[in-house]
Amino acid sequence: MASYDPKTIGDIHRHLHTHMPPDPALRIKALESLAVEKGLVARETLDTWVEMYSEKIGPKRGAEVIARAWVEPDYYDRLMEDAGQAIKDFGYQGHATEHLKAVQNTPDTHNLVVCTLCSCYPFAVLGMSPLWYRSAAYRSRAVKDPRGVLAEFGVTLDAGVKVRVWDSTAELRYLVVPERPAGTEGWSREALAAIITRDSMIGTERDLKLEAT
Amino acid sequence: MDGPHDLGGKDGYGPVDVTAPPWREAWEKRQWALSKNVPMPGGTIDWWRHGIENMDPVAYATVPYFVKWNLNELAHRVDQGLFTLEEVVAGHSMAQRPPAPARTEAELHAQLQANNTDFSREMDHRPRYSVGAAVRTKRAPSPGHSRLPAYARGAAGRVIAHHGGHLFADAGARGEHRAEHLYTVEFSAAELWGEGATPGDTVCLDLWEPYFETS
């Protein structure tokens, strides 16, 4: 039974950080060894999770969803109405997506997603978050200096474009829908998905390039 | 609480490492997998978050991201009595249990899909605010876990969405499964950061009804 006592959990944290070996690899190994020895998980199961998040569960999922929305107006409407439901067409629901909210970039609005309090992210549609998304630099500055952060990503906004930052403070998660670039008329969903980047779905990229990166 | 985790608007952290990948080290992937699959009976997501918030602030600021997760996973299991402090420091269990069976990718995929937790709840009272309403957040932080960041306290904003009842984070960190009306509130950057902010820029936060001043 959890104590739900902040002092208790804080004391345990201090004890562990003080007394465990400092090497991160050894700390993670301690948790793995304990979990395996206590029959909570098999090492092979951990291997499988690592493989799944290395290969299959990544930003290609989000790109597929947005490419479909670009070519199917009905699906676009469903995505904007309830993205958490719309992604179930693909079976992409999972970790942190039930209350997924799609936000659309427009010629005069740019959306940027952050979690200043921890590192909330729609993992099941975008895969593991980039290290910078979880960094103190991004978390501290995205809300206060979004244009400075965007400039570091090479994004300069035209005059008149407003920035709307979404700080993920509850269990809603945000997915930026980038604008479909000119010159992609008639493209297949697969070709469109190939040019939609992870950063464009977080909001740290704005103008998609026509060649896949 | 005014913990080390509440980073929004803090200065001095330098440029963003814009090319950083999701992982650099094998142990980071290993910790992610452990967090996905080592069962932790009971508990709430906000009690889990509150554990990290109660780390020593110096440790919070200096240990790598996945080491924070690691310490927190270990600390919560010690708190629950599943592991002892001695076992964790030694890095081994004092008592061997029968091994867990390996699980297939199909099983893990099904587990992942089932993990799309629904935090919404039916409410027996009406929302106090409707879309378009002006609200002001409270000045004083909640004494325990809160999802109202320091930078958005005592600030005037406008409701742009009402999401019905959602499990209330502050209560969840105390083990209570209680819902409050949840809203998305848009604040002008100038309201939050002063005159230097770009006119028209805004910041949106998802905030529960108890975070607002009622007068």
Side-chain angles (χ1 to χ4, degrees):
Chain A
M1 176 68 188
S3 70
Y4 295 106
D5 177 42
K7 183 179 181 305
T8 300
I9 199 82
D11 286 348
I12 296 169
H13 259 290
R14 278 184 175 76
H15 183 93
L16 295 182
H17 184 54
T18 305
H19 294 283
M20 288 183 79
D23 179 356
L26 290 178
R27 290 182 169 198
I28 278 73
K29 188 161 173 273
L31 174 57
E32 178 167 337
S33 298
L34 276 163
V36 169
E37 289 161 9
K38 287 183 181 287
L40 299 173
V41 71
R43 290 191 203 276
E44 296 85 344
T45 305
L46 299 172
D47 296 338
T48 305
W49 273 121
V50 167
E51 264 169 52
M52 286 168 71
Y53 271 90
S54 301
E55 302 290 334
K56 293 178 183 157
I57 305 167
K60 282 180 183 165
R61 288 180 157 205
E64 266 186 79
V65 168
I66 287 170
R68 180 176 171 192
W70 279 352
V71 299
E72 290 182 23
D74 290 351
Y75 187 73
Y76 175 85
D77 291 344
R78 285 170 54 211
L79 184 70
M80 298 310 292
E81 174 66 27
D82 188 342
Q85 285 299 319
I87 62 170
K88 290 180 184 173
D89 285 17
F90 293 86
Y92 291 165
Q93 72 277 13
H95 188 189
T97 64
E98 180 65 14
H99 305 289
L100 187 67
K101 171 79 180 159
V103 291
Q104 172 73 61
N105 280 349
T106 67
D108 62 7
T109 303
H110 184 76
N111 294 284
L112 182 68
V113 179
V114 64
C115 172
T116 63
L117 294 171
C118 46
S119 51
C120 298
Y121 192 72
F123 297 103
V125 274
L126 295 185
M128 190 59 215
S129 57
L131 261 167
W132 57 257
Y133 181 86
R134 319 185 297 256
S135 71
Y138 184 76
R139 286 168 52 196
S140 62
R141 292 176 54 218
V143 283
K144 187 179 189 178
D145 181 25
R147 288 165 185 272
V149 169
L150 286 171
E152 284 164 20
F153 281 90
V155 176
T156 316
L157 299 175
D158 294 337
V161 179
K162 295 170 180 173
V163 177
R164 211 177 204 188
V165 181
W166 302 86
D167 189 357
S168 315
T169 47
E171 295 302 335
L172 274 75
R173 297 292 172 269
Y174 290 92
L175 179 72
V176 176
V177 180
E179 286 186 281
R180 180 173 175 173
T184 59
E185 296 75 15
W187 284 29
S188 68
R189 271 165 58 177
E190 291 71 25
L192 290 168
I195 64 166
I196 300 169
T197 62
R198 178 197 65 206
D199 287 8
S200 74
M201 294 182 276
I202 303 172
T204 52
E205 184 177 350
R206 181 167 171 85
D207 299 317
L208 294 172
K209 296 173 191 70
L210 292 196
E211 61 281 7
T213 49
Chain B
M1 67 178 282
D2 282 315
H5 65 289
D6 191 354
L7 288 169
K10 296 287 195 300
D11 294 319
Y13 286 99
V16 177
D17 182 3
V18 301
T19 59
W23 335 86
R24 287 205 171 107
E25 310 284 348
W27 52 261
E28 295 174 318
K29 292 186 179 182
R30 212 65 188 164
Q31 178 57 50
W32 173 252
L34 284 159
S35 298
K36 297 230 74 62
N37 212 68
V38 180
M40 183 141 61
T44 63
I45 179 72
D46 283 286
W47 169 235
W48 193 90
R49 289 185 178 122
H50 203 35
I52 291 197
E53 294 164 7
N54 279 286
M55 286 180 70
D56 176 72
V58 175
Y60 183 93
T62 50
V63 303
Y65 178 79
F66 276 115
V67 174
K68 283 190 262 244
W69 279 42
N70 173 257
L71 287 168
N72 203 40
E73 296 278 337
L74 289 165
H76 276 290
R77 286 180 179 80
V78 172
D79 180 58
Q80 290 196 339
L82 298 173
F83 299 170
T84 66
L85 286 171
E86 293 71 25
E87 284 177 321
V88 175
V89 171
H92 284 289
S93 173
M94 303 301 169
Q96 293 277 338
R97 305 291 290 270
R103 303 175 65 219
T104 65
E105 183 171 334
E107 288 173 316
L108 298 188
H109 186 72
Q111 179 188 325
L112 175 68
Q113 287 190 324
N115 193 17
N116 62 329
T117 314
D118 184 356
F119 290 85
S120 68
R121 293 292 184 274
E122 291 293 324
M123 298 297 286
D124 58 10
H125 62 277
R126 295 163 61 83
R128 191 175 290 144
Y129 306 98
S130 50
V131 171
V135 292
R136 180 175 287 279
T137 55
K138 287 182 176 168
R139 188 74 199 89
S142 167
H145 177 68
S146 168
R147 297 290 288 181
L148 174 61
Y151 77 84
R153 292 188 202 137
R158 185 176 59 90
V159 172
I160 60 168
H162 169 239
H163 305 289
H166 270 230
L167 287 175
F168 183 37
D170 304 35
R174 297 188 294 266
E176 301 163 19
H177 297 267
R178 179 161 66 79
E180 296 280 357
H181 284 285
L182 180 72
Y183 307 86
T184 302
V185 179
E186 185 168 31
F187 299 89
S188 76
E191 168 73 6
L192 300 174
W193 314 113
E195 291 172 2
T198 304
D201 285 1
T202 61
V203 182
C204 302
L205 292 86
D206 298 318
L207 303 174
W208 286 269
E209 207 163 85
Y211 292 168
F212 305 132
E213 297 281 6
T214 50
S215 56

